[in-house]
Amino acid sequence: MSRQNLSSTLLSSAVDELAALPGVGRKSALRFALHLLKQPKENVDRFGKAIIRLREDIKYCSVCNMISDVPVCPVCSDKTRERDLICVVESIRDVLSIENTGEYNGLYHVLGGIISPMDGISPSDIAIESLIKRVDGSDVKEVFLALNTTMEGETTSFYIYKKLKGFPVKISTIARGVGFGDELEYTDEVTLGKSISNRQLFIPSNL
Amino acid sequence: MSRQNLSSTLLSSAVDELAALPGVGRKSALRFALHLLKQPKENVDRFGKAIIRLREDIKYCSVCNMISDVPVCPVCSDKTRERDLICVVESIRDVLSIENTGEYNGLYHVLGGIISPMDGISPSDIAIESLIKRVDGSDVKEVFLALNTTMEGETTSFYIYKKLKGFPVKISTIARGVGFGDELEYTDEVTLGKSISNRQLFIPSNL
């Protein structure tokens, strides 16, 4: 659908902006725009302002770099969490995913990226130095590296591992294995191999 | 994903607004919000303002009700189009779809809805009166009803047909039949039946 066909520059601009969202094509963007046109003015105004304010006023936790409305985020200031355990993740979204599991009760450290020479991202571009400072001279007992198993993720994990080797902290990583519901037949051989060499004690459950 | 988990009211508000777009769930809305957070401030500002301006400043053609930046839209003021043919559609999106086919060179009339007693939409709630006025005493030779084949669409077509019966205009509707690429086996019987009773002369093509 070309720009000219939309018969209005206002509509074209809105569709252009909406189509820049990840995974949104021009057809969906047009659907969004026509939907917004049918809404009351106040709602659309609130929509636009929420987006603008999000980007303008967003703050990040001074300790862990997570999105936060206050200088130190609720997780970092929560005294009931395990304060000697730090989970290192690439992005804000990873924190949200891990929080949703309900299985983790420690603190976080958001790197804000991953070492990727191909994309020109070096260790100094991400929050590794501040992680070392958090560990240095503190009571932190364990640094839990929860990065993706891509080459960049492995590189970053290894870099942090080397940086932390001199400190008296345990360095752990997430368990790899066959996913729940996955079939052995269709599991790639590296995963299946690792899940055999790292096999765990069988614990019967009543589920 | 609950609101509390997002750790920021700014992020929560933006996700709530984005999740109200048609077909967008909270997961996609969060993806959109985190994407916007990574963009330069100016871009996000432009995004929000484009949406707000779309709703605030949008104008409609005074003749056909199509979205337009000028009082009379480019189609209605185009002297090269067939000015004695009016295509009646339910919505703006239908105009865009028909324009995209490149098969139509007449004018339009956007009803802005469809007669639907269930939803409390009566003939006076949609632009039927202005259609009659456009036809009355004019040179219009044909009114082409391009409404959906739902019960509401058929009702609206029939209502307009009755209203226009007294005028010297031809009233046509879009051809129904088996779609290109559709298989006869899976075509519903009403469509297949109509496509047999309305069968057309076979014209060999070199496609």
Side-chain angles (χ1 to χ4, degrees), chain A:
Chain A
M1 206 169 287
S2 68
R3 282 190 64 135
Q4 300 87 287
N5 284 355
L6 294 181
S7 85
S8 154
T9 52
L10 285 174
L11 183 60
S12 292
S13 311
V15 168
D16 287 347
E17 296 293 341
L18 288 163
L21 291 172
V24 175
R26 291 190 67 78
K27 275 210 164 179
S28 300
L30 178 62
R31 194 153 61 103
F32 293 166
L34 295 180
H35 168 84
L36 289 165
L37 268 179
K38 280 196 244 161
Q39 306 308 308
K41 269 190 194 183
E42 311 82 72
N43 293 15
V44 179
D45 198 60
R46 200 183 57 217
F47 178 105
K49 284 181 178 154
I51 303 289
I52 294 171
R53 279 192 55 210
L54 169 69
R55 182 64 187 82
E56 286 203 340
D57 299 342
I58 200 80
K59 286 184 193 68
Y60 296 89
C61 173
S62 60
V63 179
C64 73
N65 307 319
M66 181 60 187
I67 284 177
S68 172
D69 291 341
V70 281
V72 174
C73 78
V75 169
C76 284
S77 53
D78 184 347
K79 300 292 176 201
T80 69
R81 296 189 72 120
E82 298 176 43
R83 305 186 63 82
D84 51 5
L85 169 60
I86 296 178
C87 174
V88 177
V89 293
E90 180 182 342
S91 74
I92 291 155
R93 207 188 316 188
D94 296 327
V95 174
L96 298 174
S97 300
I98 293 173
E99 282 295 284
N100 272 339
T101 68
E103 292 284 340
Y104 183 72
N105 197 36
L107 306 181
Y108 290 96
H109 192 83
V110 181
L111 294 176
I114 200 143
I115 299 173
S116 172
M118 291 281 280
D119 301 314
I121 301 171
S122 72
S124 60
D125 294 321
I126 61 176
I128 293 180
E129 208 47 58
S130 60
L131 171 66
I132 311 299
K133 276 193 193 130
R134 276 181 81 180
V135 172
D136 192 8
S138 76
D139 295 332
V140 173
K141 289 202 182 74
E142 181 175 348
V143 172
F144 166 33
L145 302 172
L147 302 174
N148 290 322
T149 43
T150 54
M151 203 165 65
E152 291 81 10
E154 301 284 2
T155 304
T156 309
S157 287
F158 186 66
Y159 184 90
I160 294 172
Y161 169 80
K162 279 204 305 177
K163 280 276 183 180
L164 287 177
K165 237 172 48 180
F167 295 99
V169 285
K170 182 171 147 192
I171 299 168
S172 58
T173 186
I174 50 175
R176 308 292 177 190
V178 179
F180 285 94
D182 284 2
E183 292 187 49
L184 297 192
E185 190 181 343
Y186 301 115
T187 303
D188 69 283
E189 50 218 42
V190 177
T191 303
L192 190 55
K194 287 274 178 198
S195 77
I196 291 165
S197 57
N198 297 333
R199 62 191 175 280
Q200 300 170 311
L201 214 61
F202 179 72
I203 301 165
S205 87
N206 294 322
L207 278 179

Side-chain angles (χ1 to χ4, degrees), chain B residues 13-66:
Chain B
S13 311
V15 168
D16 286 346
E17 295 293 342
L18 288 162
L21 291 172
V24 175
R26 291 190 68 80
K27 276 210 162 179
S28 300
L30 178 61
R31 195 153 61 104
F32 294 166
L34 295 179
H35 168 85
L36 289 165
L37 268 179
K38 281 196 243 160
Q39 305 308 308
K41 269 189 194 185
E42 311 81 73
N43 293 14
V44 179
D45 198 59
R46 200 183 56 217
F47 178 103
K49 283 181 179 154
I51 303 288
I52 294 171
R53 279 192 57 212
L54 168 69
R55 182 64 187 83
E56 286 205 337
D57 299 342
I58 200 78
K59 287 184 192 67
Y60 295 89
C61 172
S62 59
V63 179
C64 73
N65 307 319
M66 181 59 186

